[in-house]
Amino acid sequence: MVSFSPALLNDHAPLMSSSGEFRATTEAHGLYNTFQFVLRLSPLVHRKLASLPSGIVNSGDVDLEGVQAFSTYIHETIHWWQHIGSTYGLMLSMTYPTQAHANYDHLKSLISDVGFKKSIRQLAATLPGGGLGTPAGTANIVINNHFDMDAFRGLTVSPATAGKIVQDSQFESLGHAYHVACGNIISLLSSVSDRQFNVIPHPKEWTEPLRKLREEKEQGYFYGSPVELYPIGAYEIFEGQARVAQLQFLHFATGGLLGMSDAVQNGMFDGVYGKAFMTFLQMTELEWPDSIDHPTVALFLLVCDLAINPGGGFPFPLIHFPTFIRDIEPGARFVWLSRLARLQQKDVFGMIRDYSRDEYEEVSRKLCGAIIESPPLDIAGEFRRWSELPEFHQLMEEHRTFKFDKGNIVVRILFSHFLAFMRDKYERPEFFCWPGAWMAGKRLSPDAMTLFDRHGALFVDKEDDDGVFPRLADGRTETEVQEAFDDFYAHNVIFDLTRQWITKPGPFRYDFRWLSQRGTDQEIRAFCERSFQSLYGLNPSSVSLVAE
């Protein structure tokens, strides 16, 4: 058996809050954090990467430890791609900004009506009853908007986080939560690009069809409706996709030294890393493959790609509303794609052998036809078309120059990077689906490093500092990158403080040591208070606490 180093291969074991936020332990060696938007590597991996020659290399050029370290970097970069380069991932990433933006006017109204009080949940319990336009009504809107975003995260990320959401008294139905969350997110995306909805399908068109489904007691769309949970969610898909792509890189970069049996015996499919792959084999009734370079492994990675890239509602109009829930949920999509491959499209089982664009297109069209969904090249092609339209010109110019308008800067940075990713995905879908096959071995692509660097995580840590730093890239000055970085994280702080304001009793907490290891606690607090005051006009220290 080939023995590999867990210290170089394992990423942080992500733990999830009930709302679906990815967190991490500190003893492992890589992390991409959903809320912080930062890629972290252990000092050991940092040191090994720093010793490698530039560019993507094979094991003949570096030692085995170097290959393993680079595979971990690929694994964590894929997590960035999942969040910034898939339609579901963009929605997930946008839930935090949207929770603040959707409630901004309501929060300002409450300040005007009853003063600056925390938390809004506690405040609502003290206010006399009233409907729309009253402080009680406004407080309930804030609470419900916030909960529906939490519900979208918790319900779609994993069955492990869904239970608590479903049991909450605020939970109405899957259809309601997804409608509110996705509708608000799409509206926020339009606010930095297509303000008149000339291009982006308007979510207001969903209201009447979804109302009818609620009135007709369609499962999933009315209060008290049974909730169907699938065995996996986005969390399991994300980790399975990143791990299998990492294994393919290791296999090809070592000239086949790492085999499937080695991966299994080294525990690389243990826990969450193998959950999606095992579910895939169960649903398709395929045997465990004897090689990492195998059509079954390639098909699994393609199914992961399809599962996290729904197209109904964004970028294409939502047409078939009864399957809205299934079409949105990554776990549901993954299960149905796998099942229908077995029931209707068994010819796809052995089709992927060259990891080519033609194979990607043919197999994805067959599978998407089975679930009546737009294939991924149509989705990427539509986003590419958007990026060239006048409505998106300013946004894409900001991306090109890395000089972003400060208004809604987090949304601008994430959305523009998503569109740029989709442009390249349309041209090279096979690279982004099977990066391990194209970044090492006989298929090593001349433009692989260009694509990999172009779509690397924007924010990273350092070997000797767990703070967050902007990653410099060709064509961007250090001043431009630093300015965007400062504004991005100032807004991120506001999102977290807004969440605390709405949901957490007691004083504001300034737990942002992850952002900077160098500043004093007083300096971090001052930065947070300035950021909050710049938006709401009030210092968090002046808040009145509602008695528990």
Side-chain angles (χ1 to χ4, degrees), residues 84-138:
I84 202 63
S86 73
T87 52
Y88 167 77
L90 179 66
M91 293 286 175
L92 179 66
S93 297
M94 289 296 300
T95 55
Y96 294 101
T98 304
Q99 278 179 312
H101 285 282
N103 281 322
Y104 174 77
D105 288 339
H106 303 305
L107 290 169
K108 292 286 284 185
S109 176
L110 282 174
I111 292 171
S112 176
D113 291 341
V114 300
F116 182 27
K117 297 183 178 182
K118 179 178 181 294
S119 72
I120 303 300
R121 280 183 178 171
Q122 294 171 292
L123 174 65
T126 69
L127 293 172
L132 290 174
T134 67
T138 301

Side-chain angles (χ1 to χ4, degrees), residues 47-215:
R47 287 194 296 271
K48 199 63 193 179
L49 291 177
S51 71
L52 299 181
S54 61
I56 299 174
V57 294
N58 287 314
S59 59
D61 304 300
V62 298
D63 60 20
L64 184 57
E65 286 192 349
V67 172
Q68 292 178 81
F70 197 82
S71 79
T72 297
Y73 185 35
I74 291 173
H75 181 116
E76 302 308 334
T77 298
I78 289 171
H79 285 323
W80 165 252
W81 292 355
Q82 289 160 341
H83 286 81
I84 202 63
S86 73
T87 52
Y88 167 77
L90 179 66
M91 293 286 175
L92 179 66
S93 297
M94 289 296 300
T95 55
Y96 294 101
T98 304
Q99 278 179 312
H101 285 282
N103 281 322
Y104 174 77
D105 288 339
H106 303 305
L107 290 169
K108 292 286 284 185
S109 176
L110 282 174
I111 292 171
S112 176
D113 291 341
V114 300
F116 182 27
K117 297 183 178 182
K118 179 178 181 294
S119 72
I120 303 300
R121 280 183 178 171
Q122 294 171 292
L123 174 65
T126 69
L127 293 172
L132 290 174
T134 67
T138 301
N140 282 324
I141 290 173
V142 169
I143 293 166
N144 289 332
N145 280 343
H146 189 92
F147 176 80
D148 285 326
M149 291 295 166
D150 276 352
F152 175 79
R153 280 197 299 270
L155 291 164
T156 60
V157 161
S158 174
T161 58
K164 185 176 180 180
I165 297 294
V166 171
Q167 294 166 12
D168 195 295
S169 61
Q170 289 180 257
F171 178 70
E172 181 171 321
S173 68
L174 292 173
H176 173 79
Y178 295 173
H179 179 199
V180 172
C182 294
N184 276 316
I185 289 168
I186 292 171
S187 294
L188 183 55
L189 293 172
S190 76
S191 73
V192 301
S193 54
D194 178 25
R195 290 178 174 271
Q196 303 302 316
F197 287 96
N198 295 322
V199 181
I200 300 176
H202 203 307
K204 72 178 182 181
E205 303 299 331
W206 307 354
T207 303
E208 185 59 23
L210 292 176
R211 182 189 65 79
K212 288 182 179 179
L213 291 174
R214 183 173 66 250
E215 292 179 351

Side-chain angles (χ1 to χ4, degrees), residues 171-173 217 220-227:
F171 178 70
E172 181 171 321
S173 68
K217 300 292 184 179
Y221 294 91
F222 64 94
Y223 182 79
S225 171
V227 175

Side-chain angles (χ1 to χ4, degrees), residues 435-456:
W438 288 98
M439 295 176 71
K442 66 181 182 181
R443 296 182 189 85
L444 181 58
S445 172
D447 64 347
M449 200 66 209
T450 300
L451 288 170
F452 188 74
D453 279 347
R454 185 183 299 161
H455 298 292

Side-chain angles (χ1 to χ4, degrees), residues 241-548:
Q241 183 183 32
R243 172 49 57 89
V244 171
Q246 177 186 15
L247 289 174
Q248 284 205 326
F249 173 80
L250 285 166
H251 178 81
F252 291 117
T254 60
L257 179 63
L258 174 71
M260 179 61 79
S261 61
D262 300 309
V264 172
Q265 291 177 51
N266 276 279
M268 299 185 75
F269 285 99
D270 289 355
V272 68
Y273 299 108
K275 179 66 173 177
F277 190 60
M278 292 176 191
T279 301
F280 170 76
L281 295 179
Q282 178 185 0
M283 296 296 169
T284 57
E285 298 183 358
L286 289 168
E287 297 293 328
W288 191 283
D290 59 8
S291 172
I292 294 171
D293 180 15
H294 193 282
T296 295
V297 177
L299 181 61
F300 166 75
L301 288 173
L302 178 53
V303 168
C304 290
D305 185 320
L306 301 181
I308 62 175
N309 277 290
F314 182 79
F316 298 116
L318 190 56
I319 297 174
H320 194 252
F321 289 90
T323 60
F324 171 61
I325 294 170
R326 187 202 74 182
D327 294 342
I328 287 289
E329 290 183 1
R333 292 172 61 82
F334 184 95
V335 167
W336 278 100
L337 284 161
S338 301
R339 283 175 177 167
L340 292 176
R342 172 174 58 85
L343 294 172
Q344 299 180 16
Q345 300 289 346
K346 283 189 175 181
D347 57 326
V348 304
F349 287 167
M351 288 181 64
I352 305 172
R353 297 183 180 275
D354 298 324
Y355 305 95
S356 68
R357 178 190 173 90
D358 288 344
E359 290 171 339
Y360 180 94
E361 181 170 12
E362 183 177 3
V363 176
S364 64
R365 288 193 181 278
K366 284 178 176 288
L367 292 176
C368 288
I371 64 168
I372 316 176
E373 169 67 293
S374 300
L377 281 179
D378 288 4
I379 293 171
E382 178 67 1
F383 284 123
R384 184 183 70 159
R385 186 182 74 85
W386 286 14
S387 72
E388 297 170 352
L389 295 175
E391 288 85 352
F392 297 85
H393 174 75
Q394 179 181 341
L395 185 67
M396 299 314 295
E397 183 64 12
E398 291 175 11
H399 175 269
R400 186 187 69 81
T401 62
F402 218 73
K403 296 178 181 178
F404 291 92
D405 187 283
K406 294 183 184 299
N408 290 343
I409 190 169
V410 172
V411 184
R412 291 178 179 278
I413 288 176
L414 297 181
F415 193 20
S416 65
H417 278 75
F418 168 83
L419 291 173
F421 186 99
M422 283 292 174
R423 283 191 311 207
D424 280 348
K425 182 179 180 181
Y426 181 79
E427 298 296 334
R428 290 293 308 279
E430 70 280 12
F431 172 81
F432 294 104
C433 185
W434 303 296
W438 288 98
M439 295 176 71
K442 66 181 182 181
R443 296 182 189 85
L444 181 58
S445 172
D447 64 347
M449 200 66 209
T450 300
L451 288 170
F452 188 74
D453 279 347
R454 185 183 299 161
H455 298 292
L458 294 178
F459 310 116
V460 297
D461 67 353
K462 293 182 178 180
E463 176 187 340
D464 57 351
D465 195 324
D466 281 341
V468 183
F469 300 89
R471 185 178 67 90
L472 298 179
D474 292 341
R476 301 170 185 168
T477 69
E478 186 171 355
T479 300
E480 292 166 348
V481 172
Q482 187 66 47
E483 183 176 353
F485 168 85
D486 291 342
D487 291 336
F488 184 95
Y489 279 104
H491 281 73
N492 243 30
V493 164
I494 293 171
F495 301 152
D496 185 78
L497 294 177
T498 301
R499 176 188 61 81
Q500 293 185 43
W501 181 10
I502 295 169
T503 65
K504 301 296 182 182
F508 286 97
R509 297 177 61 88
Y510 302 95
D511 299 328
F512 297 98
R513 180 55 64 186
W514 58 266
L515 185 56
S516 175
Q517 300 294 301
R518 297 179 180 177
T520 65
D521 290 345
Q522 292 74 20
E523 288 170 336
I524 290 176
R525 174 170 179 154
F527 169 74
C528 295
E529 290 178 340
R530 288 195 306 273
S531 299
F532 185 92
Q533 188 163 3
S534 71
L535 181 66
Y536 293 110
L538 294 165
N539 191 301
S541 63
S542 68
V543 72
S544 297
L545 301 179
V546 178
E548 296 190 43

